[in-house]
Each structure stands twice: as structure tokens, then as C-alpha cells.
Amino acid sequence: MSKFVTRFLKDESGATAIEYGLIAALVAVVLVTALTAVGTNLQNLFQTVATDLIPKG
């Protein structure tokens, strides 16, 4: 039983998986934030183009 506990405490593979999960979550948050900002700017650009293309008069 003592060997099992010692081996369990020295095993770091679970910690590595958690670190990769945290990194993936951080990347996802950054991507969502960046794409939201780009989408808003792109929407404004298309709205400007559409407004300029509508004939006045």
C-alpha cells in the first residue's frame, strides 16, 4: 500500500493534463474575444459600404 501511495504522489501525468486543459481554455477565451471584435468591426464596415451603395434621392 505504501508503494502505491508513493507512486501516486510522484505521478505528474494528471497535472500535465490539467495544465494542457487550462492552456486550451485560455486559447479559446482569447479566440472568442478576438473574433468577436473582428466580427463587430467587419459588421460596421459592411454597414458603411451598404449605406454608401444605396442611391440617395
Side-chain angles (χ1 to χ4, degrees):
M1 182 70 171
S2 156
K3 285 183 180 182
F4 174 75
V5 172
T6 304
R7 192 174 352 146
F8 179 75
L9 292 175
K10 288 183 180 181
D11 185 18
E12 295 183 2
S13 61
T16 303
I18 291 172
E19 290 167 357
Y20 284 135
L22 290 173
I23 291 169
L26 179 62
V27 168
V29 168
V30 169
L31 280 174
V32 166
T33 303
L35 292 176
T36 301
V38 169
T40 302
N41 291 338
L42 194 58
Q43 183 178 8
N44 291 338
L45 176 65
F46 281 129
Q47 185 62 43
T48 303
V49 170
T51 302
D52 291 344
L53 289 176
I54 295 175
K56 296 179 174 94

